[in-house]
Amino acid sequence: MDLLRASLDDRALRTAALLRRSRPADKELQLAGLLQDVGRMLRPGDGARHAVLGAHALRPLLGDRVARLVRAAGAAGGSFGPGGGPDDAEAVATLRGAREAAGACGPDAGVLEDWRPLLELVAAGSCRAANAIDPLGPPRGSIARTG
């Protein structure tokens, strides 16, 4: 939050707010809109790699989908890498449209602290998914039958 507070611009807040209105159920998309420039904050002046850096930094905190959306939204061709699909392509188009619309001065988009509960919620879900354990435990031996 400190990093975001220090360098987040109003455009990112407006982008996230527009996504909250247009896609209220897609919390990961909203966070991708809020955080799509995090790579620029981490390494200013790193040019075209900002989307990859941002995605790499966000993946362990907010999960694969947020990372894929941030990476694809910042990439020139919208490349997803592994795991992206048609739903993500539509989400990236929506994200890019909201970013463009947010460039024009619009209504007050609130403050960063308004987004803390959502960040914590998605981070907690990502953590649970990353640490999920098969209730039956790890497989033992071969399943193939002989004979």
Side-chain angles (χ1 to χ4, degrees):
M1 288 301 282
D2 291 338
L3 172 68
L4 294 175
R5 230 179 260 111
S7 20
L8 193 67
D9 63 0
D10 286 342
R11 186 174 187 176
L13 287 169
R14 285 194 304 269
T15 300
L18 287 169
L19 291 167
R20 180 181 277 171
R21 288 184 203 118
S22 67
R23 301 275 295 269
D26 197 341
K27 306 304 184 196
E28 293 168 324
L29 177 62
Q30 295 166 29
L31 290 182
L34 181 70
L35 302 169
Q36 77 180 50
D37 287 334
V38 76
R40 285 189 179 106
M41 295 177 220
L42 293 171
R43 276 201 207 148
D46 205 357
R49 289 190 31 86
H50 77 274
V52 174
L53 292 169
H56 183 71
L58 293 172
R59 180 168 281 111
L61 300 171
L62 299 172
D64 288 335
R65 184 161 183 260
V66 173
R68 278 195 318 268
L69 293 173
V70 166
R71 180 180 181 156
S79 144
F80 289 100
D87 291 338
D88 281 351
E90 180 185 334
V92 168
T94 302
L95 174 57
R96 288 180 174 168
R99 176 78 176 173
E100 213 171 286
C105 286
D108 181 26
V111 295
L112 181 60
E113 283 301 318
D114 295 342
W115 292 93
R116 180 185 289 274
L118 184 58
L119 282 162
E120 290 173 352
L121 178 72
V122 173
S126 175
C127 182
R128 276 193 303 276
N131 293 325
I133 299 172
D134 185 344
L136 300 176
R140 295 183 207 179
S142 173
I143 300 175
R145 291 183 104 166
T146 56

